[in-house]
């Protein structure tokens, strides 16, 4: 950012109540900036990195365009679907026609066995009835008990604060779920969406995931994912939408402090210059938010430091030939969790590129690449007969040590809402009190909430095309 641009940004506050600075260019910040700009607010978006997209981004590795990690969404993620539509990216990240997840099990004595989780065109809960009844990775008795537990889960009141204090694993045990059922079904879904095993997850967040994704509407759990690099969506198209709305975007601009003057106007300090605005949205991780918050902005800002983080490890393998004939699959009885074909999206012209998404990876996140190679290549050969004898042309890992907030019991009471006690200052981020775990959906919802709160205080009308929460599943 040069001095002339900073001066322009500072002078933008000439029309009282109609200027904003959004700190953070992830999905939460981009959403807040778009919503404010659509309402006629003059917005400057500041991002410390050289790109937009936050933790859902792409980078170049030789001739490949690589996503830092595999990100998916569900049909029930109505806010993220709105976001894709708003930036013109819906066609680039389509949804399945219906939920269909191949599940390969290596734990059975008879060897590799394939099952599927798929839905039928029937009302809830019958839409999963046939799939559950024929799911080969559980016994008949276990399948019956899963059905009963699902009905009990459906009956939980997500507004009950007591759910936040309980762990999901204990609740499952109390409702007759065996260790095998937890591994082969509940954690198969829960680890990927919560980034924690059932025993480490808040019952409130887990119940929200399963009630909304599997027990609300028949198609709620249909899976969508980007068929292009994430940077095409969250950086290029997002940047285009922001610029078309008049948002000034400044990357490589790290905010060092926030303050207000005697008139309540905000000053946002970046190295070498100060921007002034009527409204500020902090859309950065919780620890960075804590460091930037003015005194008294929250009743107890130290609570933000109690929101722990959880890592995700991604293993990337490029073969000299095609070894997988499905877009993705999940695995049991192996360290491998989910495997996605990223060949086309990466631009690979020969062979096949697979990405392994390993959530709740605290025991592996710092393992050397050589150790991970020795661990995962043999497992892929066990899972994919076509990989046996195939040449591995590249093997690398990406690590997100603070990928999500940890969804531990009690975390709900730590997550703040969009409003602070400092007039004109709002919070956004997947870690804030959206009711969702740390997903792209939660990030977008938080940006909408922050913009709604800011627009209400500014007396600005809500944009008609902004996502409406009553549309959510």
């Amino acid at each position: 950012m040069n001095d002339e641009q900073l001066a322009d940004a500072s002078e933008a506050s000439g029309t009282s109540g109609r200027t904003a600075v959004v700190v953070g260019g992830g999905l939460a910040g981009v959403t807040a900036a778009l919503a404010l700009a659509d309402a006629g607010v003059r917005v400057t978006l500041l991002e410390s990195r050289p790109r937009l997209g936050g933790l859902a981004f792409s980078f170049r590795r030789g001739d490949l365009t690589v996503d830092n990690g595999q990100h998916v969404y569900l049909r029930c993620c109505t806010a993220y679907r709105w976001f894709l539509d708003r930036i013109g990216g819906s066609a680039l990240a389509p949804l399945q026609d219906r939920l269909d997840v191949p599940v390969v099990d290596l734990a059975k004595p008879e060897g590799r066995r394939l099952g599927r989780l798929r839905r039928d065109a029937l009302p809830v809960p019958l839409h999963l009835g046939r799939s559950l009844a024929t799911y080969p990775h559980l016994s008949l008795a276990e399948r019956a008990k899963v059905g009963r537990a699902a009905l009990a889960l459906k009956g939980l009141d997500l507004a009950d604060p007591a759910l936040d204090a309980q762990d999901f694993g204990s609740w499952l045990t109390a409702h007759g779920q065996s260790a095998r059922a937890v591994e082969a079904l509940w954690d198969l879904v829960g680890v990927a969406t919560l980034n924690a095993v059932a025993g480490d997850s808040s019952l409130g967040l887990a119940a929200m995931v399963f009630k909304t994704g599997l027990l609300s509407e028949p198609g709620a759990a249909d899976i969508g994912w980007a068929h292009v690099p994430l940077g095409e969506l969250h950086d290029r198209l997002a940047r285009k939408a922001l610029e078309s709305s008049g948002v000034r975007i400044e990357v490589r601009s790290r905010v060092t402090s926030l303050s207000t003057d005697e008139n309540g106007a905000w000053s946002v300090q970046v190295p070498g210059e100060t921007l002034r605005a009527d409204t500020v949205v902090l859309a950065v991780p919780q620890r960075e938010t804590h460091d930037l918050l003015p005194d008294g902005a929250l009743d107890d800002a130290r609570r933000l430091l109690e929101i722990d983080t959880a890592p995700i490890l991604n293993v990337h393998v490029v073969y000299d030939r095609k070894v997988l004939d499905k877009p993705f699959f999940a695995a049991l009885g192996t360290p491998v969790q989910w495997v996605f074909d990223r060949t086309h999206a990466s631009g690979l012209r020969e062979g096949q590129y697979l990405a392994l998404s390993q959530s709740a990876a605290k025991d592996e996140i710092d393992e050397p690449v050589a150790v991970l190679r020795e661990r995962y290549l043999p497992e892929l050969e066990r899972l994919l007969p076509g990989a046996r004898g195939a040449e591995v042309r590249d093997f690398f890992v990406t690590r997100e040590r603070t990928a999500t907030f940890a969804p531990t019991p009690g975390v709900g009471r730590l997550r703040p809402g969009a409003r602070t006690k400092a007039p004109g200052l709002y919070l956004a981020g997947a870690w804030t009190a959206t009711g969702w775990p740390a997903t792209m959906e939660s990030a977008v919802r938080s940006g909408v909430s922050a913009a709604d709160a800011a627009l209400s205080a500014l007396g600005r009308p809500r944009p008609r095309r902004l996502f409406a929460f009553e549309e959510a599943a």
Side-chain angles (χ1 to χ4, degrees):
M1 180 184 295
N2 59 44
D3 291 343
E4 182 180 353
Q5 289 173 321
L6 283 165
D8 289 344
S10 298
E11 292 169 3
S13 58
T15 305
S16 179
R18 296 191 61 185
T19 60
V21 169
V22 176
V23 183
L27 296 184
V30 170
T31 299
L34 281 172
L36 290 168
D38 286 347
V41 178
R42 189 168 178 183
V43 182
T44 299
L45 176 63
L46 304 176
E47 168 55 52
S48 61
R49 300 178 181 90
R51 50 155 181 83
L52 303 180
L55 291 177
F57 68 95
S58 305
F59 62 92
R60 293 289 295 179
R61 180 181 173 88
D63 294 332
L64 298 182
T65 302
V66 177
D67 288 347
N68 69 311
Q70 179 63 48
H71 290 70
V72 303
Y73 70 101
L74 306 180
R75 194 178 297 275
C76 63
C77 294
T78 46
Y80 182 68
R81 289 170 56 202
W82 166 85
F83 176 83
L84 288 175
D85 185 63
R86 176 65 183 81
I87 65 172
S90 296
L92 301 178
L95 286 153
Q96 294 176 307
D97 292 334
R98 64 169 181 167
L99 174 69
D100 189 356
V101 180
V103 184
V104 180
D105 183 15
L106 295 180
K108 296 289 186 179
E110 60 269 27
R112 180 178 181 272
R113 190 171 188 182
L114 176 65
R116 306 189 85 89
L117 290 173
R118 70 171 94 191
R119 72 169 176 90
D120 291 318
L122 295 170
V124 174
L126 299 178
H127 67 310
L128 294 175
R130 183 172 64 168
S131 179
L132 182 60
T134 58
Y135 191 54
H137 307 319
L138 295 177
S139 69
L140 183 60
E142 286 171 328
R143 291 176 222 161
K145 290 180 179 179
V146 162
R148 290 195 289 272
L151 291 176
L153 198 64
K154 185 174 175 61
L156 293 178
D157 179 6
L158 296 182
D160 182 358
L163 300 187
D164 178 53
Q166 303 176 54
D167 76 87
F168 187 40
S170 296
W171 187 92
L172 288 173
T173 298
H175 286 78
Q177 302 306 288
S178 66
R180 174 60 178 174
V182 173
E183 176 202 9
L185 188 62
W186 300 106
D187 271 352
L188 185 75
V189 176
V191 168
T193 51
L194 295 162
N195 198 18
V197 297
D200 294 335
S201 299
S202 154
L203 173 58
L205 282 173
M208 182 272 155
V209 166
F210 284 95
K211 285 191 67 169
T212 305
L214 295 176
L215 300 170
S216 60
E217 298 290 338
D222 299 345
I223 299 173
W225 65 96
H227 291 202
V228 296
L230 287 172
E232 175 71 9
L233 298 173
H234 301 156
D235 187 9
R236 191 186 73 81
L237 288 181
R239 187 185 297 261
K240 181 179 178 182
L242 289 163
E243 290 174 344
S244 296
S245 297
V247 176
R248 181 188 299 281
I249 304 166
E250 299 295 346
V251 296
R252 296 186 176 90
S253 295
R254 181 174 292 279
V255 173
T256 57
S257 66
L258 303 175
S259 60
T260 54
D261 62 20
E262 62 277 6
N263 298 317
W266 283 94
S267 294
V268 181
Q269 187 73 44
V270 297
E273 195 59 64
T274 300
L275 289 79
R276 293 180 178 83
D278 305 291
T279 295
V280 173
V281 176
L282 271 181
V284 293
Q286 59 267 33
R287 295 177 191 278
E288 189 176 345
T289 297
H290 172 271
D291 292 343
L292 289 173
L293 278 177
D295 291 341
L298 293 179
D299 283 332
D300 186 0
R302 292 172 299 178
R303 285 189 173 187
L304 301 189
L305 301 179
E306 297 178 37
I307 303 175
D308 204 356
T309 58
I312 295 178
L313 175 74
N314 291 274
V315 177
H316 308 261
V317 187
V318 180
Y319 290 101
D320 67 339
R321 67 193 71 173
K322 187 172 184 177
V323 300
L324 173 65
D325 60 2
K326 305 175 182 65
F328 68 89
F329 70 93
L332 303 172
T334 167
V336 175
Q337 294 177 12
W338 291 73
V339 180
F340 290 81
D341 179 7
R342 299 301 299 168
T343 306
H344 177 72
S346 70
L348 183 69
R349 296 181 179 179
E350 295 182 356
Q352 190 170 32
Y353 164 25
L354 303 183
L356 284 63
S357 182
Q358 302 293 118
S359 300
K362 61 184 178 181
D363 294 333
E364 291 189 309
I365 194 64
D366 292 317
E367 290 275 27
V369 173
V371 171
L372 296 170
R373 182 184 179 105
E374 291 179 4
R375 179 175 301 154
Y376 283 101
L377 287 184
E379 292 299 316
L380 284 173
E381 290 185 2
R382 294 176 65 209
L383 287 162
L384 300 169
R388 299 163 194 168
E391 177 189 347
V392 177
R393 290 184 169 172
D394 198 6
F395 182 100
F396 59 100
V397 301
T398 51
R399 312 171 199 260
E400 293 296 342
R401 290 177 173 81
T402 58
T404 70
F405 73 84
T408 50
V411 73
R413 67 178 179 81
L414 304 176
R415 300 172 71 184
R419 290 180 171 83
T420 72
K421 290 195 167 183
L425 179 63
Y426 306 92
L427 306 181
W431 56 274
T432 60
T434 65
W436 287 68
T439 56
M440 297 188 294
E441 175 74 5
S442 183
V444 173
R445 283 172 176 261
S446 76
V448 173
S449 293
D452 271 337
L455 292 173
S456 177
L458 292 172
R460 302 294 301 167
R462 194 179 200 271
R464 283 179 296 177
R465 60 178 169 178
L466 183 59
F467 170 76
F469 286 107
E470 60 269 23
E471 296 172 5

